[in-house]
Amino acid sequence: MHIRRTDRQTLRQKAGIAFRLGIMLAFVCLTMVVPALAAEAPRGWIGPWAEGQRSAVRLVAAPQTPDQAARGELSLGLDFRMEPGWKLYWRSPGDAGLPPAIDGASPSIADGQIAATQIHWPLPERFTAFETIHTYAYEKRVLLPVTAGLAAAAPAAALRLRVDYQVCEALCIPVTADLVLDVPAGPADPLDRTAAEAEAAIAAARAAVPAVASDPAAAPFAAISAGWIAAEGDGPARLVVEAKSDAPFGPAADVFIEGPDGFAFLPPEARRLDDGRRIRFVSDVAPPAADARLLGETVRLTLVDGAGDDRRAVETTAQVVPAPATLLGPEGGLVAALLIGLLGGLILNVMPCVLPVLSIKLMGLVATRGLGRGDVRASLLATAAGILLSFLVLALAAAGLKLAGVAVGWGIQFQQPAFIGVMIVVMALFAASQLGVFTIRAPVLSGELARDAVPEAGGRPKLGRAMMSGVVATLLATPCSAPFVGTALGFALAGGTVDILAVFAAMGLGMALPYLAIAAVPSAIRLLPRPGRWMVWVKVAMGVALAGTALWLTLVLSRLVQPGAAAAVAVLAALAALLPLVITKARLLRWAGVGGLAVAAVATAVLASPPSGRGPQAIAAEGPWTPFDVGGIAGEVAKGRVVFIDVTASWCVTCIVNEERVLAVDPVAGRLATPDVVAMKADWTRPDPVIADYLAGFGRYGIPFNVVYGPAAPQGLVLPELLTADAVTRALDQARGAGAG
């Protein structure tokens, strides 16, 4: 059929009109439908971004697992992004800011659809602003996992949550965001990439949340205790957190401390102990008020170590207990400990334990007046080398015992019958040599230490004998605790192998200083008196003193083994020392007999059984003293009493001096006997792990050790090694809370 031109134009006009009418109709429909769509929550697993100032946040949901569905839980995530330089705060912000929070008036919560929400917190970073403001926060991007408890049984949820948060740079901006998400019901579509993306993001965020250790003591990596140290003077109070690790801590080790409202904790200083497997964090507490409001409170401790994929963190809680100031160690760290050890070693030369050997050495120096400078210097350097070598051997032994998990301390070898048996024999032989019974020619067993520098007129010095005199002087020094030795030892034995070797070497150097000084200027020997008959009497006196040392060691041994066995050891040692008087000609037989008797004495000490009857704690309970009870200290203080602790041992010479000069005489004896004072004696003559742990709790590994507790000093006041009546009475008054008088 043929259509005319005019008809075709009319059709085209009508088609154009119809097309325009269709476009207008579609536009009208869209304007009606789009608002309705906008009013509905977006359906899926990842919600739209809610833009805020310098930040944005969106709601993310993971498909429910069967277990979550049974519990009526839904795993969500608050996905935050911040502009560069801006931060979002952790649950404990620190000195400023507020953490994100889900508003309880959110529509889904107010309508009862969501019964509860719990935000889980990935590990934050520590930030410092203006050198004084310390905060914990996230930067750039973080997803906070949320566990939502659904009140309805249906697994699907049309979520509407309101979130309040702050973002901060130099100043903070509060933001409120309304988040919407319609979570699909049932399992996720395997082809839905957003479900897998949301699930992976929430799983990664949950993996960054520190694990919670319910039993810190059994955990391989955890903070295990928190101790409060009272402020002194204008300084702040401090919190000391002890942490342990199955592997050495790295340089980034840190602890985040969260306490009750009103307290803030500055970034801690860390000191690595036990070759880095234990660490002590010391944090200043703000406000600096010297009150004990923190005592008894529970703090949350998040221990952190490593970086990147190797980073690990564990959360624990601990009750704040009193801690002694000695845990802080010397101000200045290792350098200060070395100087203290040097001074302590120097003072050891004049302690009662060392005086017999030192006096004999001085007599040897008198005898060297006729020798050349080189010979005198060689002898003195050999003695100093013996001292240094002995201290290094003690350091290696202490480090080895620590690595083996054995308690260590200064003088603990006197807790072993074998060591005391050997020392009894050695002292008996030394005494016999000084009294002229015989002269031991063997360089390693020199009994005539007075002649170690010039054994025979015109002869060369016996350097082996000179070195042995230094070894013996060191061994006899260990029952004595000179001032400052306890502080240096506490630093060393609480630290690692390097600390132990360094501090022990410093102590050895200090003890060897007199010999090194004279070796540098041998002409100083001319200041000593000339040899004469007086040396014979001094030699006899030294022999008697050494015999007295052997008897004292026998008394110490009687506390470790049966008294009869200790007496037998002393008799055998005496027979060994006196045998040369009986056998004068058969030299081989004489020394074989001496060696046999010496071995028999040591074997008797080793094989003897412990004493029966009263134990050391019962013996300690004589007089005004009560047995040591570390668990009962807090109870006595709560009753308003003052508790005086004396950690002592029968082999500790300094302890005996403190007892006889201060503790057993008035005014101290009278004060300790009053009803409001409880005097506890801890006898460390024999190994006792309770006492060893108690000393280690104060950062101490040697005795004597005395501490006073009271209502005004629940953490304990540590007294100096050498006691004075004034120091003890003043501490008793201070612990009670009264003015010293």
Side-chain angles (χ1 to χ4, degrees), residues 211-219 222 314-317:
V212 178
S214 58
D215 185 2
V314 171
E315 177 187 312
T316 58
T317 58

Side-chain angles (χ1 to χ4, degrees), residues 559 616-617 619-620 646 648-650 681-686 688 691:
R559 299 289 296 276
Q617 296 300 336
I619 296 173
D646 179 32
T648 183
S650 59
K681 188 180 292 291
D683 193 324
W684 207 32
T685 299
R686 291 190 289 179
D688 188 327
I691 297 176

Side-chain angles (χ1 to χ4, degrees), residues 436-459:
V437 174
F438 62 87
T439 299
I440 303 176
R441 295 294 182 183
V444 180
L445 295 175
S446 175
E448 197 162 3
L449 297 179
R451 299 174 59 190
D452 59 2
V454 53
E456 296 178 3

Side-chain angles (χ1 to χ4, degrees), residues 611-624:
S612 58
R614 295 179 305 164
Q617 296 300 336
I619 296 173
E622 297 174 349

Side-chain angles (χ1 to χ4, degrees), residues 50 57 59-60 76-78 101-110 113-114 116-117 146 148 158-164 176-181:
V57 60
L59 190 60
V60 179
L76 306 175
L78 299 176
I102 297 175
D103 192 340
S106 297
S108 293
I109 298 177
Q113 178 186 1
I114 296 179
T117 58
V146 177
L159 303 179
R160 289 171 175 80
L161 294 178
R162 178 169 298 155
V163 178
D164 297 315
T176 296
D178 290 313
L179 308 179
V180 293
L181 181 63

Side-chain angles (χ1 to χ4, degrees), residues 416-426 553 557 569 573 598 601-603 605-606:
Q416 306 302 323
F419 177 80
I420 298 180
V422 171
M423 293 303 297
I424 289 174
V425 171
V426 171
L553 290 171
L557 184 62
V569 172
V602 176
V606 173

